[in-house]
């Protein structure tokens, strides 16, 4: 088969940071190459170089045998490279069709021919077996569908090499499975695929070959057959990684968090938590398993008092938490690792140190009355950066310049370094690399062992199964079953998650 | 502001404004050249008039005084993520209120009368901002819309008041009576007292933003409202507070102008000071200290505009044109992006959810 992409000896450094060091790789027609590596391993830099967004210091990139001029995105597109970015490049208020034709619109008399465009959109979606509604508005679509539009947009330009930058980071497990199927079909049609991820399971499921990057260097290439998840994890991290969480038996004590008949509505004013009651004990991790969008987000935000409750009570240590007062919830002892760290968890333009005191900047010792104690803020920053293994030269770096895993560690460090009564962790390891996942898991277990009541919400069933002591399954805003984790069985939970009676 | 920005010096906050000034001057030069005049001559006159002599500098600083304050009024709101287009209205309200306090109260010592008149100015400036603040915080009405409309309301209202109840008796002109001598702000070291007041306020606000919990709240809400809410900062209170501070400072700007320069309230005498404040704030990168050099520069250009016309024959609109271009370039994202910290990964897009 023909070689589509040849990367030869590419190096790229940003100041003193080496992002890529002498990397050579190839992708053939109809082949899926998974590019695996932790956050900050240099995956994104490498594919950006292929797409012409980054200019390598040395080395050449050949597409279809032609050496690409670096920094020339237009040439890369012209020679058949398409890229699906992690953050979609779609216009949310426009329809699927409009987004697909954007930048290359079929015209009639100088005006966009929307009929023709719709025809093209339908033909495209049929050709690749990717079903979409051409009239749907992007912002109304679920993330998986929007991503499909993004892929179609790339395919419309007759793509030979498709690059996907962490495409599954935003998807539910079901959407992920669908995406992997799509990728297989595309490969069958001869499209070469370069697939960036740090999720081992996906790599094992879909890749023809796997290239592992670590610290900007290519650690080697392998195939799913020759490798295993634990071997890959070791290659990525450089040491043995315990994929299975090790923890002692839970010793649950008194109830710390109690939720009574809670009803909450979502952003569209539809009731999404329906008369839900739940108790979490000191010294246990209660995992909430469920397909995303079944009320988990609203539940978490209501507990943390960020979202208005229609009715019901949230009681922490016997004290009722007032409605819509995040500060009161925090003072009552609720730590919250939010689902969306960029939106809620961090002020990315602030330093790490400031982010580490974001919800207690006005309390001792970080402030004395009205005056902030910047020295204490700095000391706290430095000590937490070290204690929580946040990979940054110092605590004054802006949080936005950290990798995803380290950003999450900043949030975790802030939330778990305070007095621990109730910990609400929503998707605590989403978009986080393997090494950081292990670290964050251990921190949650440490919080449990220190006597906190931990409520864990995760879309990854594996995470729930390995961390939780008790598992509550949520479906359509209700807790449909609660298991002791020892009795829990993947299939039963899966059926309950899908809304089927067990 | 952040807890220590680290030891590395970052020049981009200075580079962008400086570059926009230079680019604006270059384009202005071309336009002057088209008029058949030597641009270098025009600029030389402009700068020697504004900064070439002690008298020139004194005039420049007097012109800069209300601009520092109105720039501060816009800058503080920008810090909280609010675009206060209403500095003009707040300033007029403050100017009129301080004039009223200045001519109404008789027999007060200057030490009481001047602060009193200034407080009147601050209060009525804040009062105008309060309307926009409440609408924004509690009803989500965009502050750009409300402050623009409030500008018109305040201008109309001040016209009415100065031509009716507050009108100077037995005079054909639409203006208030002259303020009492005791309300007249004196000069200090050959400079208007208001200038020192403005500098003092800048430093105070800079310190508050940097060192207090209030400053941190404002800054946090300005940078990420959602994270502020998550962290337990009251978004409503912070919006109210920063708008009120902005309004009060703009009111003081008007009061200072009334009590030290104009001596009464006369419609149209304050025209544009609040709008120049927007340019000043953006040029000063919304930094309470940054507005000082920005205001001095613009004050200098305002001070020497007529001399340039007289000595070099350049149309008097030149200064407005230059200011408009500076504003344009300083807000042009292209320049800003060019000098963006390059270590940061340049995100090609952002999500759509925020």
């Amino acid at each position: 088969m023909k070689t589509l992409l040849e990367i030869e000896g590419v190096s790229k450094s940003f100041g003193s940071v080496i992002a890529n060091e002498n990397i050579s790789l190839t992708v053939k027609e109809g082949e899926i190459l998974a590019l695996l590596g932790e956050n900050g391993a240099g995956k994104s830099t490498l594919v950006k170089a292929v797409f012409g967004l980054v200019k390598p210091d040395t080395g050449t990139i050949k597409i279809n045998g032609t050496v690409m001029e670096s920094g020339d995105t237009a040439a890369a597109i012209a020679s058949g490279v398409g890229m699906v970015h992690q953050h979609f490049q779609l216009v949310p208020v426009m329809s699927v069709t409009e987004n697909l034709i954007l930048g290359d619109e079929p015209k009639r008399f100088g005006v966009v021919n929307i009929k023709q465009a719709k025809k093209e959109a339908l033909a495209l979606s049929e050709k690749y077996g990717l079903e979409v509604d051409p009239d749907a508005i992007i912002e109304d679509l679920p993330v998986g569908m929007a991503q499909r539009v993004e892929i179609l947009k790339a395919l419309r330009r007759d793509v030979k090499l498709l690059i996907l930058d962490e495409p599954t980071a935003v998807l539910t497990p079901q959407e992920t499975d669908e995406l992997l199927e799509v990728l297989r079909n595309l490969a069958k049609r001869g499209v070469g695929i370069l697939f960036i991820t740090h999720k081992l399971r996906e790599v094992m499921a879909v890749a023809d070959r796997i290239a592992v990057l670590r610290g900007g260097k290519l650690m080697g290439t392998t195939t799913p057959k020759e490798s295993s998840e634990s071997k890959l994890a070791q290659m990525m991290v450089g040491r043995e990684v315990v994929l299975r969480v090790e923890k002692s038996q839970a010793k649950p004590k008194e109830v710390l968090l109690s939720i009574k008949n809670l009803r909450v509505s979502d952003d569209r004013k539809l009731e999404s938590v329906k008369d839900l009651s739940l108790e979490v004990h000191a010294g246990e991790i209660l995992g909430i398993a469920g397909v995303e969008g079944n009320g988990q987000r609203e539940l978490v935000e209501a507990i943390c008092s960020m979202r208005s409750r229609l009715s019901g009570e949230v009681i922490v240590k016997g004290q009722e938490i007032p409605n819509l007062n995040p500060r009161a919830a925090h003072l009552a002892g609720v730590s919250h690792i939010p689902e969306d760290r960029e939106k809620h968890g961090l002020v990315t333009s602030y330093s790490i140190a400031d982010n580490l005191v974001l919800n207690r900047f006005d309390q001792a010792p970080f402030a004395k009355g009205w005056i902030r104690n910047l020295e204490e803020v700095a000391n706290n920053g430095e000590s937490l950066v070290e204690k929580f293994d946040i990979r940054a030269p110092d605590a004054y770096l802006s949080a936005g310049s950290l990798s995803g895993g380290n950003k999450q560690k900043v949030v975790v460090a802030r939330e778990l370094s305070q007095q621990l009564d109730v910990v609400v962790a929503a998707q605590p390891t989403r978009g986080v690399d393997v090494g950081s996942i292990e670290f964050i898991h251990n921190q949650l277990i440490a919080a449990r062992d220190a006597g906190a009541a931990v409520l864990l919400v995760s879309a990854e069933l594996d995470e729930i199964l390995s961390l939780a002591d008790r598992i509550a399954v949520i479906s359509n805003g209700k807790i449909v079953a609660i298991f002791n984790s020892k009795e829990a069985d993947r299939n039963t939970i899966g059926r309950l998650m899908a809304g089927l009676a067990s | 502001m952040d807890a220590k920005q680290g030891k590395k010096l970052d020049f981009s906050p200075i580079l962008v404004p400086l570059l926009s000034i230079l680019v604006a001057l270059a384009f202005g030069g071309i336009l002057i050249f088209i008029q058949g005049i030597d641009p270098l001559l025009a600029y030389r006159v402009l700068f020697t008039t504004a900064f070439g002599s002690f008298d020139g500098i004194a005039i420049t600083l007097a012109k800069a005084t209300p601009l520092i304050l109105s720039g501060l009024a816009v800058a503080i709101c920008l810090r909280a993520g609010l675009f206060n287009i209403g500095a003009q209205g707040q300033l007029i309200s403050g100017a009129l209120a301080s004039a009223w306090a200045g001519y109404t109260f008789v027999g007060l010592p200057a030490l009481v009368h001047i602060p009193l008149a200034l407080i009147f100015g601050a209060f009525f400036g804040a009062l105008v901002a309060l309307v926009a603040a409440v609408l924004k915080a509690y009803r989500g009405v965009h502050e750009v819309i409300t402050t623009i409309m409030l500008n018109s309301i305040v201008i109309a209202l001040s016209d009415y008041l100065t031509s009716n109840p507050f009108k100077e008796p037995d005079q054909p002109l639409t203006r208030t009576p002259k303020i009492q001598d005791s309300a007249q702000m004196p000069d200090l070291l050959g400079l208007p007292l208001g200038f020192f007041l403005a500098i003092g306020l800048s430093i105070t606000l800079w310190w508050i933003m940097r060192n207090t919990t209030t400053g941190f709240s404002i800054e946090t809400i300005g940078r990420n409202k959602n994270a502020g809410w998550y962290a337990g900062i009251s978004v409503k209170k912070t919006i109210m507070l920063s708008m009120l501070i902005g309004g009060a400072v703009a009111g003081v700007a008007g009061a200072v102008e009334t009590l030290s320069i104009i001596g009464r309230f006369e419609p149209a005498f304050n025209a544009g000071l609040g709008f120049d404040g927007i340019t000043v704030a953006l040029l000063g990168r919304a930094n309470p200290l940054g507005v000082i050099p920005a205001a001095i520069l613009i004050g200098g250009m305002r001070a020497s505009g007529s001399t340039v016309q007289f000595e070099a024959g350049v149309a008097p609109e030149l200064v407005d044109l230059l200011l408009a271009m500076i504003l344009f370039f300083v807000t042009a994202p292209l320049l800003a992006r060019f000098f963006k910290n390059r270590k940061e990964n340049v995100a090609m897009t952002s999500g759509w959810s925020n």
Side-chain angles (χ1 to χ4, degrees):
Chain A
M1 251 188 275
K2 221 171 79 184
T3 304
L4 273 176
L5 170 72
E6 286 169 81
I7 301 173
E8 287 170 7
V10 164
S11 298
K12 172 75 190 174
S13 53
F14 297 98
S16 57
V17 182
I18 298 166
N20 288 157
E21 196 179 334
N22 196 20
I23 291 179
S24 301
L25 276 177
T26 57
V27 180
K28 293 196 186 72
E29 263 180 4
E31 179 184 49
I32 302 180
L33 176 70
L35 196 53
L36 190 65
E38 289 197 278
N39 287 332
K43 295 168 300 194
S44 290
T45 306
L46 187 64
V47 294
K48 277 183 186 156
V50 173
F51 200 54
L53 290 169
V54 160
K55 198 179 158 124
D57 299 333
T58 57
T60 53
I61 289 165
K62 283 191 209 164
I63 296 170
N64 265 331
T66 332
V67 177
M68 299 311 290
E69 196 71 39
S70 54
D72 193 349
T73 311
I77 293 173
S79 41
V81 181
M83 184 152 175
V84 175
H85 294 265
Q86 191 176 359
H87 301 285
F88 302 154
Q89 305 197 307
L90 299 170
V91 184
V93 294
M94 286 189 176
S95 74
V96 169
T97 303
E98 284 165 330
N99 269 286
L100 284 176
I101 60 166
L102 208 60
D104 183 20
E105 304 87 356
K107 290 194 189 97
R108 211 166 61 133
F109 312 124
V111 185
V112 175
N113 185 345
I114 201 75
K115 252 191 203 162
Q116 173 68 25
K118 204 167 141 185
K119 232 185 266 168
E120 274 183 38
L122 277 172
L124 194 66
S125 116
E126 223 161 86
K127 180 175 166 196
Y128 291 102
L130 286 166
E131 250 177 71
V132 283
D133 171 7
D135 296 322
I137 303 297
I138 296 291
E139 61 186 355
D140 297 339
L141 291 178
V143 184
M145 273 304 198
Q147 188 176 53
R148 218 171 246 203
V149 178
E150 185 79 25
I151 294 172
L152 279 174
K153 210 172 89 183
L155 292 174
R156 177 162 179 259
R157 302 192 189 232
D158 198 21
V159 159
K160 297 192 187 70
L161 175 69
L162 185 65
I163 303 172
L164 298 107
D165 189 357
E166 308 228 2
T168 59
V170 288
L171 299 184
T172 64
Q174 286 79 358
E175 286 172 333
T176 300
D177 290 343
E178 282 170 34
L179 174 72
L180 297 185
E181 193 53 44
V182 167
L183 294 185
R184 276 187 210 109
N185 285 336
L186 287 176
K188 267 185 212 147
R189 305 178 67 100
V191 177
I193 292 171
L194 186 55
F195 173 54
I196 302 185
T197 186
H198 52 238
K199 293 193 185 168
L200 301 169
R201 196 212 279 255
E202 291 161 10
V203 170
M204 296 299 286
V206 79
D208 295 315
R209 279 192 307 134
I210 305 162
V212 182
L213 289 186
R214 182 170 88 222
K217 287 186 203 143
L218 184 64
M219 301 315 293
T221 50
T222 176
T223 62
K225 270 185 201 146
E226 295 164 4
S227 193
S228 68
E229 286 194 26
S230 61
K231 270 190 203 158
L232 288 174
Q234 194 171 345
M235 274 172 93
M236 269 167 80
V237 184
R239 62 184 162 83
E240 216 164 320
V241 180
V242 187
L243 290 175
R244 183 88 205 161
V245 183
E246 285 181 26
K247 57 172 182 161
S248 56
Q249 180 73 29
K251 299 181 194 77
K253 297 194 185 76
E254 76 279 12
V255 173
L256 279 187
L257 170 68
S258 141
I259 299 158
K260 286 183 185 160
N261 305 99
L262 185 67
R263 287 170 54 238
V264 189
S265 62
D266 63 13
D267 292 337
R268 289 170 299 173
K269 311 263 184 239
L270 300 172
E271 194 172 324
S272 59
V273 175
K274 299 167 182 168
D275 200 22
L276 184 148
S277 298
L278 203 58
E279 284 186 339
V280 190
H281 298 257
E284 73 165 352
I285 298 180
L286 176 72
I288 304 251
V291 177
E292 274 203 278
N294 272 274
Q296 294 98 318
R297 172 181 302 165
E298 290 77 17
L299 171 65
V300 165
E301 290 185 356
I303 294 172
C304 301
S305 203
M306 289 171 66
R307 181 181 286 273
S308 185
R309 303 194 274 267
L310 297 175
S311 69
E313 292 174 355
V314 174
I315 296 163
V316 172
K317 284 196 294 180
Q319 184 193 346
E320 197 185 333
I321 306 291
N323 199 6
L324 279 185
N325 188 340
R327 162 128 314 180
H330 176 243
L331 290 177
V334 180
S335 295
H336 176 199
I337 298 168
E339 172 181 333
D340 190 337
R341 60 175 167 267
E342 308 264 334
K343 185 177 176 190
H344 289 119
L346 295 168
V347 178
T348 47
S349 57
Y350 271 165
S351 65
I352 296 168
D354 274 337
N355 273 294
L356 285 168
V357 296
L358 199 61
N359 52 13
R360 51 199 138 130
F361 65 94
D362 55 355
Q363 290 157 33
F366 306 118
K368 200 178 164 191
W370 192 46
I371 313 291
R372 297 184 70 207
N373 187 340
L374 296 180
E375 205 174 313
E376 278 297 330
V377 172
N379 289 342
N380 174 68
E382 271 160 25
S383 83
L384 289 184
V385 161
E386 179 159 346
K387 194 174 156 209
F388 283 81
D389 191 29
I390 298 162
R391 307 274 168 85
D394 57 49
Y396 311 120
L397 197 74
S398 75
S401 55
L402 296 174
S403 68
N406 282 305
K407 277 181 192 156
Q408 187 70 352
K409 281 193 211 163
V410 173
V411 176
V412 169
R414 179 181 65 223
E415 297 305 315
L416 298 188
S417 64
Q418 49 201 351
Q419 176 213 349
L420 289 173
D421 292 314
V422 171
V423 177
V424 180
Q427 320 290 358
T429 57
R430 171 168 291 176
V432 167
D433 55 277
V434 175
S436 304
I437 289 177
E438 187 190 15
F439 185 85
I440 291 167
H441 283 172
N442 287 334
Q443 290 296 325
L444 288 172
I445 290 167
R448 177 199 78 168
D449 292 341
V454 181
L455 184 74
L456 170 71
V457 176
S458 175
E460 311 265 349
L461 186 52
D462 289 326
E463 182 166 51
I464 301 273
L465 285 170
S466 62
L467 272 183
D469 301 309
R470 284 195 301 146
I471 298 170
V473 183
I474 193 169
S475 172
N476 194 19
K478 289 180 191 144
I479 300 292
V480 290
I482 296 184
F483 299 95
N484 233 318
S485 68
K486 277 186 198 133
E487 304 153 8
D489 152 71
R490 210 188 165 85
N491 282 333
T492 318
I493 294 180
R495 286 170 60 83
L496 287 164
M497 279 166 66
L500 306 168
S502 51
Chain B
M1 269 155 251
D2 310 77
K4 288 187 203 167
Q5 273 288 347
K7 300 108 215 164
K8 272 167 279 164
L9 278 176
D10 183 9
F11 288 106
S12 68
I14 303 171
L15 263 179
V16 174
L18 220 55
L19 209 72
S20 20
I21 293 165
L22 289 178
V23 175
L25 288 179
F27 274 94
I30 294 169
L31 291 169
I32 297 170
F33 184 73
I34 291 171
Q35 286 184 45
I37 298 158
D38 178 8
L40 289 178
L41 171 75
Y43 285 147
R44 196 171 335 118
V45 173
L46 187 78
F47 284 98
T48 47
T49 314
F51 305 106
S53 64
F54 184 81
D55 285 352
I57 291 173
I59 294 170
T60 292
L61 294 185
K63 287 271 183 194
T65 301
L67 297 182
I68 295 175
L69 291 164
S70 63
L72 217 47
V74 179
I76 285 299
C77 294
L78 276 178
R79 285 269 159 230
L82 301 166
F83 204 6
N84 180 11
I85 310 284
Q88 183 66 36
Q90 295 144 18
L91 186 146
I92 289 174
S93 171
L96 178 58
S98 69
W100 184 86
Y103 71 75
T104 306
F105 300 115
V106 186
L108 296 174
L111 262 176
V112 178
H113 203 173
I114 295 171
L116 183 75
L118 285 173
I119 289 167
F120 260 78
F123 180 80
F124 281 90
L127 197 66
V128 174
L130 178 71
V131 179
V134 169
L135 285 170
K136 170 79 181 180
Y138 293 92
R139 305 248 46 96
V141 187
H142 203 288
E143 74 280 1
V144 168
I145 309 291
T146 51
T147 52
I148 287 177
M149 297 202 294
L150 280 165
N151 282 342
S152 303
I153 293 171
V154 171
I155 289 168
L157 200 63
S158 66
D159 279 353
Y160 165 78
L161 290 171
T162 32
S163 48
N164 291 293
F166 296 171
K167 188 172 179 301
E168 187 173 17
D170 316 319
Q171 272 282 337
L173 294 169
T174 303
R175 63 185 196 189
T176 68
K178 193 161 172 22
I179 58 170
Q180 309 291 334
D181 286 348
S182 56
Q184 178 74 42
M185 283 176 83
D187 283 1
L188 188 70
L189 309 168
L191 292 171
L193 186 62
F195 178 72
F196 299 99
L197 179 72
I199 299 285
L201 261 177
S202 293
I203 294 172
T204 309
L205 283 173
W206 171 79
W207 183 86
I208 286 177
M209 289 305 293
R210 191 185 160 79
N211 290 303
T212 69
T213 54
T214 308
F216 190 79
S217 301
I218 293 177
E219 193 80 30
T220 304
I221 294 300
R223 291 179 187 224
N224 184 345
K225 207 160 50 171
N226 293 311
W229 169 237
Y230 156 87
I233 299 168
S234 166
V235 180
K236 290 187 177 112
K237 261 191 218 158
T238 310
I239 288 174
M240 296 284 291
L241 182 70
S242 38
M243 276 302 273
L244 288 180
I245 295 176
V249 175
V252 171
V256 166
E257 194 69 358
T258 297
L259 303 177
S260 55
I261 310 282
I262 306 172
R264 53 159 52 91
F265 182 82
E266 202 163 339
F269 266 47
N270 295 306
L273 288 178
F275 292 120
D276 275 353
I278 296 170
T279 312
V280 169
L282 291 171
L283 196 57
R285 302 243 105 185
N287 181 320
L289 292 183
V291 301
I292 298 174
I296 291 176
L297 178 84
I298 292 174
M301 291 167 72
R302 288 272 180 233
S304 53
S306 50
T307 316
V308 177
Q309 182 191 10
F310 189 68
E311 287 189 12
V314 178
E317 287 80 12
L318 173 70
V319 169
D320 280 326
L321 196 75
L322 284 177
L323 289 182
M325 282 196 293
I326 290 174
L327 183 62
F328 177 80
F329 288 118
V330 87
T331 46
L334 227 150
L335 283 172
R337 198 173 302 160
F338 188 70
F339 283 100
K340 207 174 134 76
N341 196 348
R342 286 167 205 196
K343 251 182 152 179
E344 261 176 80
N345 274 337
V346 179
M348 300 304 290
T349 49
S350 58
W352 60 47
S353 53
N354 33 8

